[in-house]
Every structure is written in C-alpha cells, then in structure tokens.
Amino acid sequence: MTLTPARTGTSSGTPTEDGAAASRGRRPDLAIRTLRLAGGRVSFAVRPRVAAIYGGLLAATAVVFAVSLAMGEYSIPLPRVLWALAGQGERLDLFFVRDVRLPRAWVAVLVGAALGIAGGVFQSISRNPLGSPDIIGFTGGASTGAVATILLFGGSMLQVSLGAMAGGIATAVLVYLLAFKQGVQGYRLVLVGIGINALLMAVRDYLITRAELTEALTAHIWMIGSLSGRGWGEVVAVSAASAVLMPLVLALGPRLRMMEMGEQAALALGVSVQRTQITAMLAASALTGAAIAVSGPIGFIALAAPQLVRRLARTRGTALFGAALMGALLLAAADLVAQHALAPVQLPVGVVTAVIGGTYLVWVLYREWRTGHA
C-alpha cells in the first residue's frame, strides 16, 4: 500500500530526492512516519499524504461499487443492497445484486487494478509516462493471442485466457530482446513496442478478414472491450491470476524504484537489473493478458492510472499499489458511466475509457513537448 521499505531508502522520500526537491525550491516531505512490525524486525516509512490519497481512492471505489449495485432499470436502495449482500431481502433484490451486478462490479475493480499495476511496471522500466502496455504492444499481443484462440480454435473462456496470456508474454519477450542493447533504454523500448504493436494489429486484422462472418463479429465485439454479461466465472479467472501475479509484482516494487535512479546506481545497491526487468515484464504481461481475456482490450487505464496517482500523491518513484487503486477506481467509474450515461442503451466500457484516455494522452504529449522530452 502506501508503505515503502525504510531500510532500503529507495522511495521518493530519500535524502537525495528531498535534497533535490529543496534545491528546486520545493518543500521536502518531512512528515514521514515509521511503522514497525514483528517486534521491530520489519519497518516501513509511511507518508501521511500518500496514506490519505490511497484511503481516498479506496473510499471512492467503495462508493462507485455500491452505486453500481444499486442503479439500473430495477433500482434498489442502498440499505436493501446491503441486505441482499447478506443474503436477505426480496428475491429480485438477491437476483439483481448477487447474480447480475456484483460479479460485473468485481470484474471492473479487478481488471482495473490489474491494468493499473501493469502500467506502473512498464512505465517504471521504460522510465517514460507513455510506456504503458497499450502503447508498447503488450495489450496488442494479448488481444492478438485471444483473437487467434477464438477464431482458429473456437476456444473456451479458459483457453482464451491462456491465449491472451501467452500472446502478452511472447510479445514482452520479443520487445525486450529487440530493445536490448547493453541494457534496455526507455525510448528504445517504447519505439520497438510501437513497431511490434503495429505488426500485431496487422496480424489480428488479417485473422478477422479470414474468419466467418459470425466469428469475425464476435471477435470484433470482444476487441471493443466490454464488461457486459460478465459473471462469477470471469471473477474467479481474474482473481486467480491476480492472487498469483500481483504479490510478485508488488515484491519487485523496491527494486524497480532503485532502477529508476539509473542502472549503475541500482547495480551499486545490489540489484540484478536484467533479472528484475525480465521478471517484472513477464509478470506484468501475464497480468495484462489475464485482465484482457475477461474484458477485452480496454485502453488507457494502464496508461493513465500510474501517472494520476503519482501526481496526486506527489511521489517520484513507482507507486504500484497506488496505481492498482487508481486503475480500479477509473474502470469501475467508467463502467458505471457506460451503463447509465445513455440508458437504456449500454455502451461498451472500452468506448468510455477511449474518450477519457484520448484526452489524457493529448495532455501527456503536450506536457512532454513543453518539458522538451518529446
């Protein structure tokens, strides 16, 4: 969560960064608290502002989650929603809350969290705010793997999930190998990823042109990205992948923060740079594939979530847990808008995230241009 290992001294609040902030006329974060666990054997540095931001994100997600269970053609007051969650109340309340709306809301939260944390990993490795799975091809690889499984093998839910994960991992390996030259540099990774993404889109479009009309229509609808009709099977699938991969990615967070100071500095601190990069990219690619398999390729969550939480919390290092919280909130809110903005017509959530994310991308590019990074 908001905790960063105090022993490593690699978070945004390190003396070096605080000194840099002071040299630029900014007030360093002096309100750091130390939390000690296990009799003092494990300690964490806790920043009140970061804790407050993360708490606010959790509260906002809970509010959006509750509203999504209550709103719809059959509206249910919040007290009756709570009763339905406890297994009490009218039969229609139980049906709509527990069988229809609850699994969809959970899928939105879990997929958003998975995309947010994956985006944080890729932006940390590339050291570039545009280095998200959407931009550098991992989402394209996962979606191409899933479309190939649908069109070539008529795959089941599990097979589509495995196809998406395999596509994402294969793309990560290919991009890493092509971008590697005495280490992986951020802009080289982004440029190679954009080229691979273009090739994957061509393969995906070719597969669709060779498919039967019904299959092509199914694949096309899936590619828009939607959470409509998602049930407990999808919740179990994305939960299982998240339970395995998210702890692994979060455990790599301290090393990723060290690597953001530069590869030489990370090596001097004992970090195996290449091993960390490969492990983090494979885990984040598999997480992206698992998320896309149940929802379709929902764009811009992975791009926007890490940067938004970083700016809100005013942290300089990777904030993977915060990116997961922000991703969950963004996708849950986007799905709520998709369901009710043009009611009774429901929009695919991928349309809503594309509208919001496109605006965000223009803003990021404008800031990069103003700062001379683009």
Side-chain angles (χ1 to χ4, degrees):
M1 43 186 291
T2 66
L3 309 178
T4 54
R7 290 175 177 175
T8 62
T10 59
S11 67
S12 61
T14 59
T16 300
E17 292 182 359
D18 286 344
S23 67
R24 290 189 291 271
R26 298 178 58 180
R27 183 182 179 184
D29 189 356
L30 301 177
I32 298 176
R33 301 286 186 270
T34 300
L35 176 65
R36 301 184 187 281
L37 303 174
R41 291 189 295 273
V42 180
S43 60
F44 297 91
V46 183
R47 293 171 177 77
R49 178 182 177 84
V50 177
I53 294 297
Y54 287 10
L57 291 175
L58 275 173
T61 303
V63 170
V64 173
F65 193 94
V67 172
S68 68
L69 298 182
M71 289 184 65
E73 292 184 4
Y74 179 77
S75 298
I76 306 172
L78 282 177
R80 282 167 50 188
V81 169
L82 297 178
W83 275 105
L85 290 175
Q88 305 295 325
E90 300 178 10
R91 181 177 300 178
L92 280 178
D93 292 358
L94 294 173
F95 171 73
F96 279 105
V97 171
R98 299 204 308 180
D99 298 337
V100 177
R101 297 172 187 170
L102 186 59
R104 177 170 180 161
W106 271 121
V107 170
V109 169
L110 293 171
V111 168
L115 293 177
I117 199 170
V121 169
F122 289 119
Q123 290 181 10
S124 175
I125 292 175
S126 65
R127 279 176 271 176
N128 191 313
L130 298 179
S132 79
D134 306 334
I135 303 295
I136 58 180
F138 303 117
T139 300
S143 63
T144 302
V147 168
T149 305
I150 293 172
L151 297 182
L152 300 180
F153 307 108
S156 62
M157 178 65 202
L158 176 61
Q159 291 168 331
V160 171
S161 300
L162 294 176
M165 293 177 70
I169 292 173
T171 304
V173 172
L174 181 61
V175 170
Y176 183 83
L177 292 177
L178 292 176
F180 187 84
K181 184 180 179 182
Q182 298 178 343
V184 173
Q185 301 300 320
Y187 274 95
R188 190 161 62 228
L189 183 70
V190 172
L191 291 176
V192 170
I194 290 174
I196 295 298
N197 190 49
L199 292 174
L200 290 170
M201 294 302 100
V203 172
R204 193 183 66 182
D205 292 342
Y206 172 76
L207 290 175
I208 291 177
T209 60
R210 303 297 296 176
E212 298 292 335
L213 179 60
T214 305
E215 295 174 333
L217 184 60
T218 301
H220 186 70
I221 293 173
W222 180 85
M223 286 189 301
I224 296 175
S226 174
L227 300 180
S228 179
R230 298 306 185 266
W232 288 110
E234 287 79 5
V235 174
V236 172
V238 72
S239 296
S242 299
V244 174
L245 296 169
M246 280 190 181
L248 173 61
V249 173
L250 290 173
L252 294 172
R255 300 183 192 177
L256 292 173
R257 283 193 290 274
M258 291 185 199
M259 290 164 54
E260 290 177 1
M261 295 186 295
E263 293 187 4
Q264 296 302 322
L267 286 171
L269 291 170
V271 177
S272 176
V273 174
Q274 292 181 19
R275 185 185 302 171
T276 302
Q277 286 178 339
I278 292 173
T279 305
M281 288 180 67
L282 292 179
S285 299
L287 199 54
T288 302
I292 287 175
V294 301
S295 64
I298 297 175
F300 294 107
I301 298 295
L303 175 70
Q307 291 299 314
L308 290 178
V309 74
R310 195 169 175 172
R311 296 177 192 284
L312 281 175
R314 296 179 186 173
T315 60
R316 295 183 179 277
T318 303
L320 297 180
F321 187 75
L325 293 177
M326 180 61 78
L329 174 60
L330 288 178
L331 190 54
D335 189 48
L336 188 62
V337 172
Q339 291 183 69
H340 304 293
L342 300 178
V345 177
Q346 291 194 16
L347 294 172
V349 69
V351 173
V352 177
T353 60
V355 172
I356 299 173
T359 306
Y360 172 78
L361 182 59
V362 170
W363 177 71
V364 169
L365 291 173
Y366 176 73
R367 281 184 59 88
E368 290 290 293
W369 173 74
R370 286 289 302 272
T371 55
H373 295 147

